[in-house]
Amino acid sequence: RRSPMAAPLSTAAAGWLSEAASSPPRVRLLIGGEFVESRATEYVDVTNPATQDVVSRIPLTTADEFKAAVDAARTAFAGWRNTPVTTRQRIMFKYQELIRANMDKLAENITTEQGKTLKDAWGDVFRGLEVVEHACGMGSLQMGEYVSNVSHGIDTFSIREPLGVCAGICPFNFPAMIPLWMFPIAVTCGNTFVLKPSEKDPGAAMMLAELAMEAGLPKGVLNIVHGTHDVVNNICDDEAIKAVSFVGSNTAGMHIYSRASAKGKRVQCNMGAKNHAIILPDADREATLNALIAAGFGAAGQRCMALSTAVFVGGSEAWEDELVKRASSLVVNSGAANDTDLGPVISRQAKDRICKLVQSGIDTGARIVLDGREIVVPHFEDGNFIGPTVLAGVKSDMDCYKEEIFGPVLLLMKAESLDDAIQIVNRNKYGNGASIFTTSGVSARKFQTDIEAGQVGINVPIPVPLPFFSFTGSKASFAGDLNFYGKAGVQFFTQIKTITQQWKESSPQRVSLSMPTSQ
Ligand code: NAD
């Protein structure tokens, strides 16, 4: 699964990091095509979650620097919007080639800053790469519509035009894939962009920006600012920014949705999740067990499409021993080690929050059938590790069920029937994804029809759609009305304009003040 073209990043001395004089190195801003040192006085540490080593530091971008980034994007827009779509596509063709050639470097950076295993980090880059591949067909995706002769000598057509400066605000859990959900679609539609990577793991976004410029993206088309709340609020408030894409928690997402839309911007927010699997007694046992283990504990449960809750029709007792046996055999270690199944969670605060939610489940009556909270990983004693953890007998009113845990914790629940199981899922406020495991087509079809979740898996544990579809979380997992990537993504980043034109020989006509109708 390694890229056949693996080669080092061609712009050697990582222009996005400050020179060695400062240790740890400082992550630069990208403004108008140049990686520049921030003049910020405050910095935030980027920490390796397996070791607590400080890898780099990000600046809290100053107000002037933020304005300079937006100005650079605004200036670049005038030329970029008139650049032929074929030229914009060609840059994406080159870009996908460069990403492929640097997959291993990108994955290494993700493992260092985010903690996930190298193989999983490789998948993080690959799923983003697929969006870049999709953007290579923008000429067709952005195509308008035409009806000739809607009235005598009159034709109507619609075109999709870029909006102007757009912005993206990213979470920590997919440092490559999520920036790539955003700016490749936006810029290939003819927009310019200001990206704010997660303050916890900005490296992959910086490397991807460096590659985008190497692919030929003109100066100012993509700009990067760093920081936390203040820079996010600046993005929401700035009059020049026309659209905001956000992925992250509900607290931040709903704040951003209301603040940016109050300023008249279009906003799409992908947010938190509690994804359920319903397991029917007729499910293929081996495939279901593998799916639950992989989707429950992969990426240490820090995927928005992780299956965190398994609802067993008839009860979980007959499944528990085998689930515990398989979960216990997973290797918890630094993501950089070859045989690791689970790396650390992102921070000490995240580990504390996860452990507290597990304890609250026990305190309110859940049975802990596998407890990974006390795990110590040799040579990585300071890492934020949690081993696979399984809570059984979980009820809908427990905090561990109501809150998103975002860690390697699988909750087991009981339902009396398929109808009962569907009701449990539908009562949950989130609607990112839900899966069913069954060999009955009739049950699967009922589930597909009745379930209230945006992304439905039938014997598929993490049904994240490829980029020709859209990422369609619903209910509290999404705010906005145009989803990420796919057709909706192109619609989000373009304004539709409808033109009605008349070309005919001039002939004397009487003026009519009545509403024009076509006869
Ligand atoms: P987060 O909300 O803490 O941070 C996301 C971004 O918002 C960061 O760039 C951060 O700087 C900024 N931010 C955080 N709090 C803010 C505030 N109060 N005001 C303004 N900006 C703020 O999320 P995270 O911990 O980085 O990511 C994990 C969350 O993201 C989980 O809830 C997960 O389910 C969700 N997520 C959802 C999807 C999806 O597609 N639905 C995908 C990935 C992650």
Side-chain angles (χ1 to χ4, degrees):
R1 302 227 4 236
R2 288 283 182 268
S3 160
M5 298 191 285
L9 273 174
S10 49
T11 344
W16 55 275
L17 277 177
S18 63
E19 306 304 334
S22 68
S23 179
R26 292 190 295 262
V27 182
R28 290 177 169 161
L29 308 169
L30 174 60
I31 300 178
E34 308 293 334
F35 287 109
V36 292
E37 287 278 347
S38 173
R39 290 180 301 276
T41 49
E42 288 179 81
Y43 280 77
V44 174
D45 290 345
V46 176
T47 309
N48 180 332
T51 60
Q52 310 302 343
D53 292 340
V54 178
V55 180
S56 62
R57 308 175 80 203
I58 60 113
L60 300 188
T61 305
T62 67
D64 285 350
E65 289 163 347
F66 172 73
K67 197 170 171 315
V70 177
D71 282 349
R74 199 166 43 180
T75 306
F77 180 61
W80 182 241
R81 66 168 295 172
N82 289 320
T83 301
V85 67
T86 43
T87 306
R88 299 200 298 253
Q89 284 183 158
R90 247 170 245 132
I91 293 170
M92 287 298 128
F93 273 115
K94 181 69 185 166
Y95 190 33
Q96 63 83 27
E97 185 189 322
L98 289 173
I99 294 174
R100 268 175 210 282
N102 288 281
M103 294 286 287
D104 292 344
K105 283 254 177 218
L106 285 156
E108 270 170 39
N109 176 279
I110 292 172
T111 298
T112 304
E113 295 186 2
Q114 201 273 356
K116 63 178 74 174
T117 67
L118 277 171
K119 205 170 163 191
D120 201 31
W122 202 92
D124 184 334
V125 184
F126 195 84
R127 293 301 295 255
L129 170 69
E130 289 175 320
V131 181
V132 177
E133 291 171 344
H134 191 62
C136 291
M138 191 53 75
S140 312
L141 298 172
Q142 205 172 345
M143 219 175 241
E145 294 173 332
Y146 194 108
V147 176
S148 171
N149 217 36
V150 291
S151 189
H152 302 287
I154 297 182
D155 313 313
T156 297
F157 59 98
S158 62
I159 55 175
R160 293 206 156 268
E161 296 188 316
L163 304 173
V165 182
C166 301
I169 302 162
C170 304
F172 78 83
N173 66 328
F174 282 100
M177 179 182 80
I178 289 177
L180 292 174
W181 279 2
M182 298 175 176
F183 73 82
I185 301 287
V187 303
T188 317
C189 286
N191 300 287
T192 56
F193 210 82
V194 177
L195 183 77
K196 193 208 86 68
S198 169
E199 64 277 17
K200 298 192 174 80
D201 45 22
M206 300 309 288
M207 293 163 89
L208 287 166
E210 195 164 46
L211 294 173
M213 287 190 302
E214 192 182 334
L217 207 62
K219 289 177 186 236
V221 171
L222 173 64
N223 304 273
I224 300 192
V225 293
H226 299 289
T228 56
H229 304 37
D230 288 347
V231 76
V232 167
N233 287 339
N234 285 339
I235 288 174
C236 295
D237 294 347
D238 196 292
E239 299 288 342
I241 294 176
K242 304 297 177 203
V244 179
S245 287
F246 167 84
V247 181
S249 66
N250 283 62
T251 313
M254 289 317 294
H255 164 73
I256 290 163
Y257 188 78
S258 54
R259 187 158 176 156
S261 54
K263 290 278 178 184
K265 301 183 200 315
R266 48 175 82 176
V267 189
Q268 53 175 194
C269 290
N270 265 9
M271 297 180 287
K274 196 84 180 175
N275 306 309
H276 296 68
I278 293 179
I279 299 101
L280 297 189
D282 65 6
D284 177 320
R285 198 171 159 82
E286 190 63 22
T288 304
L289 284 163
N290 284 341
L292 292 177
I293 296 291
F297 303 118
Q302 299 174 113
R303 289 184 186 132
C304 61
M305 286 293 280
L307 275 184
S308 55
T309 308
V311 184
F312 292 87
V313 172
S316 59
E317 286 77 3
W319 297 78
E320 286 174 18
D321 286 351
E322 195 58 33
L323 271 176
V324 167
K325 191 171 139 207
R326 291 179 193 214
S328 315
S329 71
L330 298 174
V331 177
V332 182
N333 198 353
S334 155
N338 275 338
D339 58 346
T340 305
D341 294 308
L342 277 80
V345 296
I346 189 70
S347 64
R348 285 193 167 137
Q349 294 90 317
K351 178 172 175 174
D352 288 349
R353 194 184 47 77
I354 295 163
C355 292
K356 277 198 190 107
L357 281 168
V358 170
Q359 189 57 45
S360 83
I362 298 167
D363 293 345
T364 49
R367 279 184 293 123
I368 185 137
V369 290
L370 181 64
D371 190 350
R373 289 175 293 171
E374 298 300 329
I375 195 165
V376 177
V377 175
H379 311 298
F380 294 95
E381 288 79 3
D382 286 339
N384 315 316
F385 293 97
I386 306 179
T389 297
V390 182
L391 281 174
V394 171
K395 298 277 191 308
S396 311
D397 59 355
M398 294 178 180
D399 284 347
C400 65
Y401 175 76
K402 290 190 287 188
E403 305 272 319
E404 181 181 31
I405 298 182
F406 223 55
V409 181
L410 183 62
L411 307 182
L412 311 185
M413 298 176 82
K414 176 181 180 177
E416 299 303 333
S417 62
L418 176 57
D419 279 317
D420 184 25
I422 290 173
Q423 276 181 33
I424 291 174
V425 181
N426 288 353
R427 275 197 300 267
N428 193 282
K429 70 175 179 176
Y430 293 110
N432 222 31
S435 293
I436 191 168
F437 293 90
T438 179
T439 46
S440 156
V442 174
S443 302
R445 194 164 188 287
K446 178 179 175 53
F447 172 81
Q448 168 199 317
T449 309
D450 293 351
I451 205 73
E452 293 168 8
Q455 302 176 102
V456 173
I458 295 172
N459 297 318
V460 173
I462 310 178
V464 176
L466 285 168
F468 18 89
F469 294 94
S470 297
F471 190 101
T472 53
S474 63
K475 292 161 72 182
S477 300
F478 180 69
D481 56 4
L482 289 170
N483 296 103
F484 280 79
Y485 61 79
K487 288 195 182 85
V490 174
Q491 287 165 6
F492 180 77
F493 286 119
T494 52
Q495 171 62 49
I496 195 158
K497 184 184 269 179
T498 308
I499 297 124
T500 300
Q501 64 176 5
Q502 182 178 57
W503 296 109
K504 63 181 183 187
E505 300 290 336
S506 80
S507 57
Q509 284 172 345
R510 281 190 55 206
V511 65
S512 165
L513 271 64
S514 52
M515 183 68 183
T517 57
S518 123
Q519 305 295 335

